[in-house]
């Protein structure tokens, strides 16, 4: 038996099926008006009740979820520190002009230009401009404007509007946390964080942080940076009209930026001014004046919406025809010829492409030195130190002589001042002849430098003055050979030294052993070193000063053998701070002739040579005097304590040896002479002719110049470069223009005596030919005892060729 119940299915809205059917169609009962009204009201009531129930249920769900979210949020760690948030502020670089006035050279930022300012320094109308347009009830709410939030939410639901309802506090929270997800969760986080922030800080604190952080377009962040970017002025000098423009830009910089759309910028300014007026922040007169003020911008703008036409625009972007369309607003598709601009007379040298150039060679090098010193101080990486310096709100004060820097950059910007010719079709820029120049004083301050010949390639590009390690050739000799020889009383100014190449094992010459440089099969040696054009020496006894003047390699190595390799190596590395290879550079060729394994930078060479003009004191080369943090505390400073590395009398005698280079009537050093300013100098050529250097000293400065290729390949003699001493003269003439006559101050402990030109000993009345020499009191040569018969050196000279094994 089937016990399943039969079920009747009834469609909604239909009458139930009955067991009886009638043959006549049923006639509906006619309702009265009152019944219709009552029935309609019942339906409406039922509908409203259903909606209310749905709302109640939804609210219960929302409240429950909100409660859970609040509990979760409350349990999480949330603590915004406005002090820490303000760390991301721009750093500034300053120098001093000729009158000692502080000059801002550069504002630094990695991705945001931000300059902190205290709210007390802002005019009231600047603050009110932002409050009126961004958060009219700022002083009344506790972080969240509930009335505005509800209104915006309702508008979003019913009309689809997207007008922002965030208060200034909420905007600040969003900016600090960078929590910008478009979700309900993010909005709730923002609300609670804003409420917490208002409990911790005053309205004034929040306003100050907001105005220091808010973005105004591009890399301009904060009211101070924006005031400079748009009006080239301090925030304290902003007018009501200008303040309204800045306040209007914040909501959408891409739409209301005056440099992009002047018309819409004006419209937005009017809206801000209207709000300021209606909220009682400005008077009727101030409102009317601000509306018609002819605001002038730092950069050219297009249009007459502020009551004038910016005549700079055509000059800045090119000549604009009335029929030109806005599609080519900045003339990206117009040739220089069409704009009436002549191309440069020469092509700039490039290094790894083209870059923006917003700072000079010196600023490049100074920033690099500061970052390296900061990394060393903090024990962090270079990249981390760079971020810290750029965003940490530091102020760096440079040692740069602004006028001198501009002068020498102008000289070296034109390659024809340094080179006779060059190959513009060179496909490898590293194969072009390049050069650099450094000028420093005698207390360690680098005053000017140029890191390349021709146009600067870009900010932070390869700087050959501070980053390139090249050979220095014979410029090493006064440092490691002659000064040490004098210091140890091994030689004097007039000591006669045998101009004769010594011997070295043939294997030390490698493949050169079979080239005929005096190879001796009996002891398997070759003659070395050789002088210019493979000269093995004159076999004469020449005075020390002459050996310096003619840059005799044979004599330099001879003296080095007496000084000692270890002594010279220690002196260069520990006293003059050369970075040398302890194995490969512990040899005669590097230490006596400058053929170092890796070379040295030009700033290192300049600092070393300063000892010859300041009495033997070594100062570390600094491009900055100090760096202070945002609280005014000095975090880095120049070491002003010099170290005595040689005696003052030794330094002066070496200085006099270098004087002979400039006095040589047949040498190139004579081209370095300056009008009215004494010059001493030394030239240097790398053994492989990959680099040429010239170091010149005046009573005030050390100037170093070097040419080379970036790939370290050789530069043949007469290979299209100008005489180094001539270039040095041109650069230093520009650097010292207007300076009075100067001479070096003699050292009082140095004795000036006549010596016999035959023996190098102190002259007597019997000596037929004498010259003036300079001597330490501790090492005055004996009186000349020569018979002057031409046989003195046959009797007193060396008899065995020296071996430099």
């Amino acid at each position: 038996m089937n016990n399943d119940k039969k079920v009747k299915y009834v469609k909604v809205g239909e009458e139930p099926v009955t067991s009886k059917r009638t043959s006549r169609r049923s006639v509906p009962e006619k309702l009265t008006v009152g019944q219709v009204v009552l029935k309609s009201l019942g339906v409406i009531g039922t509908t409203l009740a259903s909606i209310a129930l749905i709302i109640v249920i939804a609210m219960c769900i929302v409240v429950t979820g909100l409660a859970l979210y609040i509990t979760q949020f409350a349990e999480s760690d949330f603590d915004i520190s406005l002090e820490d948030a303000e760390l991301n502020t721009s750093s500034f670089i300053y120098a001093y002009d000729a009158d000692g006035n502080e000059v801002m050279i550069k504002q630094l930022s990695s991705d945001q230009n931000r300059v902190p300012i205290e709210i007390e320094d802002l005019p009231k109308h600047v603050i009110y401009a932002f409050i009126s347009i961004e958060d009219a009830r700022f002083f009344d709410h506790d972080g969240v404007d509930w009335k505005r939030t509800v209104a915006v939410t309702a508008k979003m639901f019913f009309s689809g509007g997207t007008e922002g309802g965030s208060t200034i506090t909420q905007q600040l929270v969003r900016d600090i946390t960078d929590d910008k997800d478009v979700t309900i969760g993010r909005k709730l986080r923002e609300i609670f964080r804003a409420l917490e922030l208002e409990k911790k800080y005053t309205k004034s604190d929040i306003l100050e942080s907001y105005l220091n952080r808010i973005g105004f377009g591009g890399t301009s962040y904060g009211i101070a940076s924006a005031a400079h970017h748009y009006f080239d002025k301090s925030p304290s000098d902003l007018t009501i009209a200008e303040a309204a423009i800045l306040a209007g830009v914040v909501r959408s910089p891409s739409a209301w930026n005056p440099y992009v759309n002047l018309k819409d910028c004006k419209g937005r300014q009017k809206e801000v001014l209207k709000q300021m007026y209606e909220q009682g922040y400005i008077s009727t007169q101030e409102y009317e004046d601000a509306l018609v003020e002819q605001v002038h911008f730092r950069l050219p703008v297009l249009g007459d919406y502020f009551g004038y036409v910016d005549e700079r625009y055509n000059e800045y972007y090119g000549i604009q025809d009335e029929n030109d369309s806005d599609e080519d607003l900045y003339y990206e598709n117009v040739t220089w010829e069409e704009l009436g601009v002549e191309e440069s007379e020469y092509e700039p040298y490039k290094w790894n492409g083209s870059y923006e150039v917003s700072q000079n060679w010196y600023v490049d090098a100074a920033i690099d030195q500061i970052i390296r010193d900061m990394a060393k101080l903090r024990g962090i990486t270079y990249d981390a130190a760079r971020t810290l310096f750029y965003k940490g709100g530091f102020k760096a004060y440079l040692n740069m002589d602004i006028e001198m820097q501009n002068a020498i950059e102008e000289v070296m910007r034109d390659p024809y001042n340094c080179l006779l010719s060059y190959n513009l079709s060179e496909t490898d820029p590293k194969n072009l002849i390049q050069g650099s120049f450094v000028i420093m004083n005698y207390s360690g301050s680098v005053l000017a430098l140029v890191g390349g010949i021709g146009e600067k390639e870009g900010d932070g590009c390869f700087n050959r003055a501070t980053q390139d390690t090249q050979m220095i050739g014979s410029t090493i000799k006064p440092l490691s050979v002659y000064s040490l020889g004098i210091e140890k009383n091994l030689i004097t100014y007039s000591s006669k030294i045998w101009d004769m190449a010594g011997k070295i094992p043939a294997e030390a010459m490698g493949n050169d052993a079979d080239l005929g440089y005096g190879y001796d099969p009996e002891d398997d040696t070759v003659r070395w070193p050789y002088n210019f054009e493979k000269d093995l020496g004159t076999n004469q006894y020449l005075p020390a000063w002459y050996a310096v003047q003619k840059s005799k390699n044979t004599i330099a190595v001879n003296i080095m053998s007496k000084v000692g390799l270890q002594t010279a190596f220690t002196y260069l590395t520990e006293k003059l701070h050369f970075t040398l290879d302890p194995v490969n550079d512990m040899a005669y060729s590097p230490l006596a002739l400058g053929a170092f394994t890796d070379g040295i930078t030009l700033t290192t060479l300049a600092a070393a040579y300063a000892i010859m003009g300041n009495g033997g004191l070594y100062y570390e080369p600094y491009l900055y005097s100090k760096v202070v943090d945002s609280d005014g505390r000095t975090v880095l400073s120049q070491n002003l304590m010099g170290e005595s590395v040689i005696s003052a009398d030794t330094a002066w005698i070496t200085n006099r040896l270098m004087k002979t280079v400039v006095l040589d009537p047949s040498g190139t050093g004579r081209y370095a002479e300056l009008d009215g300013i004494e010059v001493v100098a030394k030239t240097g050529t790398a053994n492989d002719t990959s680099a040429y250097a010239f170091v010149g000293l005046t009573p005030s400065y050390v100037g170093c110049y070097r040419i080379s290729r970036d790939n370290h390949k050789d530069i043949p003699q007469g290979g299209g470069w100008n005489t180094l001493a001539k270039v040095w003269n041109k650069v230093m003439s520009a650097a010292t223009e207007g300076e009075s006559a100067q001479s070096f101050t003699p050292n009082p402990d140095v004795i000036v005596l006549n010596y016999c030109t035959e023996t190098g000993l102190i002259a007597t009345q019997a000596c037929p030919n004498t010259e003036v020499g300079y001597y330490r009191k501790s090492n005055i040569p004996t009186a000349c005892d020569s018979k002057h018969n031409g046989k003195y050196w046959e009797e007193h000279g060396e008899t065995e060729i020296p071996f430099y094994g």
Side-chain angles (χ1 to χ4, degrees):
M1 181 177 178
N2 188 356
N3 294 324
D4 292 342
K5 295 182 179 180
K6 294 182 179 181
V7 180
K8 294 180 180 179
Y9 293 91
V10 181
K11 293 184 178 180
V12 177
E14 292 184 355
E15 292 292 329
V17 178
T18 61
S19 57
K20 296 182 179 180
R21 295 181 180 270
T22 60
S23 59
R24 295 177 61 190
R25 186 183 298 273
S26 61
V27 178
E29 184 180 355
K30 186 175 182 180
L31 300 178
T32 65
V33 175
Q35 289 175 321
V36 172
V37 172
L38 289 174
K39 189 173 182 179
S40 299
L41 290 175
V43 173
I44 293 174
T46 302
T47 302
L48 292 176
S50 299
I51 293 175
L53 182 60
I54 293 173
I55 291 175
V56 170
I57 295 172
M59 289 182 65
C60 290
I61 295 173
V62 171
V63 169
T64 301
L66 187 59
L68 291 173
Y69 185 85
I70 293 173
T71 302
Q72 182 182 11
F73 183 84
E75 291 175 352
S76 65
D77 292 331
F78 171 69
D79 183 25
I80 289 182
S81 169
L82 295 185
E83 293 80 7
D84 292 342
E86 289 305 315
L87 178 63
N88 188 9
T89 56
S90 298
S91 294
F92 289 86
I93 295 179
Y94 298 90
Y96 297 94
D97 62 19
D99 298 323
N101 299 314
E102 186 178 291
V103 178
M104 190 186 83
I105 301 298
K106 179 78 174 180
Q107 176 183 344
L108 297 178
S109 68
S110 54
D111 56 353
Q112 299 178 356
N113 287 319
R114 180 176 286 127
V115 185
I117 187 171
E118 295 183 0
I119 198 166
E120 292 81 7
D121 297 330
L122 290 174
K124 294 296 184 183
H125 61 258
V126 173
I127 299 172
Y128 294 149
F130 287 87
I131 291 176
S132 66
I133 197 66
E134 289 296 319
D135 191 357
R137 284 181 286 274
F138 175 75
F139 292 110
D140 300 324
H141 62 65
D142 54 0
V144 180
D145 187 342
W146 297 108
K147 180 178 179 181
R148 187 178 179 190
T149 300
V150 171
V152 170
T153 303
K155 184 177 181 181
M156 180 179 66
F157 274 109
F158 293 107
S159 64
T162 58
E163 180 183 352
S166 296
T167 64
I168 282 177
T169 310
Q170 288 174 271
Q171 293 180 50
L172 177 60
V173 166
R174 186 165 60 246
D175 184 73
I176 293 175
T177 61
D178 199 31
D179 189 1
K180 300 177 181 178
D181 294 337
V182 185
T183 63
I184 295 177
R186 193 276 301 171
K187 193 65 178 179
L188 291 173
R189 288 193 299 271
E190 179 184 291
I191 289 174
F192 292 120
R193 285 169 172 170
L195 294 172
E196 288 296 316
L197 193 67
E198 291 253 358
K199 293 178 182 178
K200 186 176 180 180
Y201 293 97
T202 67
K203 291 287 186 179
S204 180
D205 293 333
I206 292 170
L207 264 178
E208 180 178 295
S209 185
Y210 170 80
L211 291 172
N212 276 326
R213 291 189 61 85
I214 200 70
F216 290 85
T219 60
S220 291
Y221 287 78
I223 186 69
S225 180
H228 168 73
H229 178 63
Y230 290 109
F231 308 115
D232 195 20
K233 59 170 57 177
S234 167
S236 60
D237 298 326
L238 290 172
T239 66
I240 294 174
E242 292 166 341
I245 291 174
L246 295 184
V249 165
V250 168
R251 186 75 60 84
S252 180
S254 61
W256 294 314
N257 184 328
Y259 298 142
V260 175
N261 193 322
L262 194 67
K263 180 180 179 180
D264 287 353
C265 172
K266 180 61 179 179
R268 181 64 172 170
Q269 181 214 34
K270 289 180 178 179
E271 176 61 26
V272 176
L273 291 172
K274 177 184 176 184
Q275 292 297 325
M276 293 180 71
Y277 176 64
E278 291 181 349
Q279 294 174 36
Y281 290 125
I282 57 176
S283 66
T284 302
Q285 187 63 53
E286 288 173 326
Y287 173 57
E288 293 175 349
D289 290 344
L291 283 174
V292 298
E293 180 178 324
Q294 293 187 352
V295 176
H296 290 269
F297 300 91
R298 184 174 70 91
L299 299 178
V301 292
L302 179 63
D304 58 356
Y305 303 102
F306 281 86
Y308 69 98
V309 174
D310 194 336
E311 296 181 356
R312 301 173 302 162
Y313 191 86
N314 287 345
E315 180 180 355
Y316 193 81
Y317 293 114
I319 301 172
Q320 182 181 22
D321 189 273
E322 293 181 357
N323 297 323
D324 285 344
S325 68
D326 290 339
E327 293 179 357
D328 196 21
L329 187 63
Y330 297 103
Y331 295 89
E332 296 175 352
N333 301 315
V334 181
T335 65
W336 288 111
E337 288 77 8
E338 291 178 278
L339 296 178
V341 179
E342 294 182 3
E343 287 194 53
S344 175
E345 182 181 359
Y346 52 85
E347 291 291 330
Y349 284 102
K350 297 296 180 185
W351 174 270
N352 198 27
S354 300
Y355 306 92
E356 175 189 1
V357 179
S358 67
Q359 59 199 36
N360 62 35
W361 288 104
Y362 192 104
V363 175
D364 274 0
I367 291 173
D368 181 67
Q369 186 180 48
I370 291 170
I371 292 173
R372 292 182 185 280
D373 289 351
M374 194 166 287
K376 183 178 180 181
L377 176 69
R378 300 291 183 94
I380 56 180
T381 65
Y382 182 92
D383 288 341
R386 183 184 187 279
T387 299
L388 175 63
F389 179 53
Y390 271 64
K391 293 186 175 183
F394 294 96
K395 291 183 179 180
Y397 297 87
L398 306 188
N399 292 325
M400 178 176 66
D401 184 313
I402 298 175
E403 293 183 1
M404 183 182 292
Q405 179 67 28
N406 292 338
I408 72 171
E409 284 210 31
E410 183 178 352
V411 173
M412 294 195 66
R413 190 175 294 118
D414 182 354
Y416 287 117
N417 284 330
C418 306
L419 308 174
L420 298 177
S421 62
Y422 55 96
N423 183 11
L424 285 176
S425 62
E426 176 61 60
T427 57
D428 182 5
K430 295 183 181 181
N431 198 46
L432 293 167
I433 298 177
Q434 263 294 352
S436 55
F437 209 105
V438 173
I439 302 176
M440 66 179 294
N441 65 17
Y442 289 110
S443 57
S445 295
V446 178
L447 304 178
L449 64 81
V450 175
I453 297 173
E455 294 288 345
K456 186 171 181 283
E457 305 92 85
D459 293 345
C461 62
F462 185 58
N463 194 316
R464 299 165 189 86
T466 59
Q467 297 173 325
D468 196 14
T469 52
Q470 297 271 6
M471 300 301 157
I472 60 172
S474 293
T475 57
I476 192 63
K477 294 173 183 175
L479 300 173
S480 62
V481 177
Y482 292 98
S483 62
L484 288 183
I486 294 170
E487 181 79 352
K488 295 185 174 300
N489 291 334
L490 299 173
I491 63 171
T492 69
Y493 179 89
S494 59
S495 290
K496 289 296 190 83
I497 305 158
W498 194 18
D499 180 23
M500 177 61 67
K503 288 185 176 185
I504 61 173
E507 62 181 3
M509 292 292 289
N511 294 332
D512 287 342
D514 60 348
L515 298 182
Y517 295 128
Y519 177 68
D520 188 344
E522 291 187 5
D523 55 8
D524 193 29
T525 61
V526 292
R527 300 296 297 278
W528 184 89
Y530 42 82
N531 295 313
F532 185 68
E533 294 182 347
K534 306 300 185 287
D535 169 25
L536 294 178
T538 62
N539 197 27
Q540 298 178 353
Y541 285 83
L542 305 175
W545 68 261
Y546 185 83
V548 172
Q549 184 185 75
K550 299 300 182 180
S551 200
K552 291 284 188 176
N553 293 338
T554 48
I555 292 178
V557 172
N558 188 314
I559 298 173
M560 177 59 69
S561 69
K562 297 177 175 60
V563 170
L565 295 178
Q566 184 62 61
T567 298
F569 185 90
T570 301
Y571 176 71
L572 290 176
T573 56
E574 296 184 5
K575 298 300 183 181
L576 300 185
H577 302 276
F578 281 34
T579 301
L580 303 180
D581 187 311
V583 176
N584 296 322
D585 288 338
M586 184 71 75
Y588 285 103
S589 186
L591 297 176
L593 306 180
F596 298 119
T597 303
D598 298 318
I600 64 171
T601 66
L602 203 59
T603 47
T604 299
L605 185 62
Y609 260 94
I611 68 174
M612 305 307 177
N614 66 9
L617 298 177
Y618 176 84
Y619 290 89
E620 184 179 354
Y622 273 85
L623 284 82
Y624 66 90
S625 59
K626 65 178 179 179
V627 177
V628 300
D629 63 17
S630 56
D631 294 324
R633 295 171 298 193
T634 300
V635 295
L636 292 173
S637 61
Q638 180 177 2
N639 183 2
L640 298 176
M641 297 296 294
E643 178 188 4
S644 179
V645 295
I646 56 172
S647 302
D649 52 1
T650 295
W652 175 242
I653 294 172
T654 308
N655 179 292
R656 295 299 86 188
L657 290 174
M658 293 169 59
K659 177 68 175 178
T660 65
V661 174
V662 180
L663 296 177
D664 185 3
S666 61
T668 60
R670 70 185 188 276
Y671 296 118
E673 285 191 288
L674 298 171
D675 292 338
I677 298 178
E678 186 178 8
V679 176
V680 302
K682 184 68 186 81
T683 59
T685 301
N687 286 355
D688 58 0
T689 66
S690 64
Y692 299 82
F694 188 90
V695 181
L697 279 62
T698 73
S700 299
Y701 313 115
V702 179
C704 294
Y705 173 55
R706 180 170 62 189
I707 62 170
S708 59
R709 300 185 200 270
D710 292 337
N711 57 14
H712 294 215
K713 290 185 178 180
D714 72 297
I715 302 176
Q717 293 281 343
W721 45 277
N722 210 339
T723 303
L724 269 66
K726 292 182 178 179
V727 178
W728 187 94
N729 174 276
K730 185 171 294 188
V731 174
M732 292 302 294
S733 293
T736 59
E737 184 177 0
E739 295 190 10
S740 58
Q742 304 170 38
S743 298
F744 286 97
T745 302
N747 182 275
D749 293 328
V750 172
I751 306 299
V752 181
L753 298 170
N754 290 330
Y755 69 89
C756 175
T757 58
E758 179 188 358
T759 64
L761 303 176
I762 299 303
T764 66
Q765 292 182 346
C767 297
N769 298 301
T770 65
E771 290 187 10
V772 173
Y774 303 84
Y775 306 96
R776 306 181 75 195
K777 292 180 179 179
S778 60
N779 190 29
I780 298 176
T782 59
C784 179
D785 58 355
S786 174
K787 298 177 182 179
H788 301 293
N789 57 6
K791 297 182 179 181
Y792 182 85
W793 289 109
E794 291 181 13
E795 300 170 358
H796 297 82
E798 299 180 49
T799 58
E800 185 176 343
I801 294 176
F803 178 75
Y804 306 125

